[in-house]
Amino acid sequence: MAWLYAEYIADELLRTGRLIPVSTLEFRAGRDTLALTIYLSDAAGELSGIRVVSQLDEWLSLTAYGHPWRDWVHTRFLDLGEAARESGSGEDPDLELARAAWRWLDGTELFATNLDPGHHGHTDTPPGLDENARVWTPAWQLGLPLGHLAMHLF
């Protein structure tokens, strides 16, 4: 139930921000990235409505530009998997749903505006964002700024 609640919170944040149409893959990337951030940051397993507002700052810092979000996701999956093994309770269905979302985010590439021209652009182009320069990028790399901006707009 924790994964579904995290997904619901992420969905509401993105819908409220009205950044992108709900029916797009980009929306899914933002929702799944935010849901993973919410689910994996809930170390105590206490997602609740009252705590959502108090956790926005933490989620903002986790999705901020330059934060090693991908590494953090891998570390949290390892920690949660180890905790499940130690408890002997078997595989957590919420953790499996989160892993499925991660597999989609990491394995799916979307053709989007190049948000990091220093790494993908030509060396002779001036720095800055050219909205016409598009590249294939992992879904999570597009989802991070969408989710981050949606939280700011909330």
Side-chain angles (χ1 to χ4, degrees):
M1 192 75 163
W3 170 256
L4 296 176
Y5 189 57
E7 199 173 44
Y8 169 77
I9 294 168
D11 192 78
E12 286 298 312
L13 286 169
L14 279 171
R15 284 176 190 266
T16 301
R18 296 181 184 189
L19 294 170
I20 196 153
V22 175
S23 61
T24 62
L25 289 175
E26 290 83 357
F27 183 89
R28 180 179 175 188
R31 185 196 62 216
D32 286 1
T33 301
L34 261 179
L36 267 178
T37 303
I38 293 165
Y39 175 76
L40 294 175
S41 67
D42 184 37
E46 298 176 353
L47 276 177
S48 67
I50 192 91
R51 288 189 33 143
V52 168
V53 174
S54 67
Q55 289 185 314
L56 277 175
D57 286 337
E58 179 184 357
W59 301 337
L60 281 168
S61 70
L62 290 169
T63 58
Y65 183 78
H67 182 272
W69 187 83
R70 187 176 197 267
D71 295 337
W72 174 79
V73 166
H74 283 283
T75 301
R76 289 297 298 143
F77 274 134
L78 288 173
D79 293 346
L80 291 173
E82 185 177 319
R85 280 188 300 279
E86 287 176 1
S87 71
S89 61
E91 192 60 42
D92 180 7
D94 288 317
L95 188 55
E96 273 309 302
L97 289 170
R99 283 186 176 135
W102 172 246
R103 285 189 297 273
W104 183 84
L105 285 167
D106 198 39
T108 302
E109 290 192 343
L110 302 174
F111 196 56
T113 299
N114 185 3
L115 297 176
D116 196 359
H119 287 89
H120 300 288
H122 300 285
T123 57
D124 58 345
T125 58
L129 183 62
D130 176 5
E131 292 184 18
N132 295 319
R134 298 173 74 76
V135 295
W136 289 100
T137 186
W140 67 268
Q141 285 184 342
L142 182 62
L144 272 176
L146 280 174
H148 188 80
L149 185 54
M151 286 186 284
H152 273 294
L153 295 173
F154 183 73

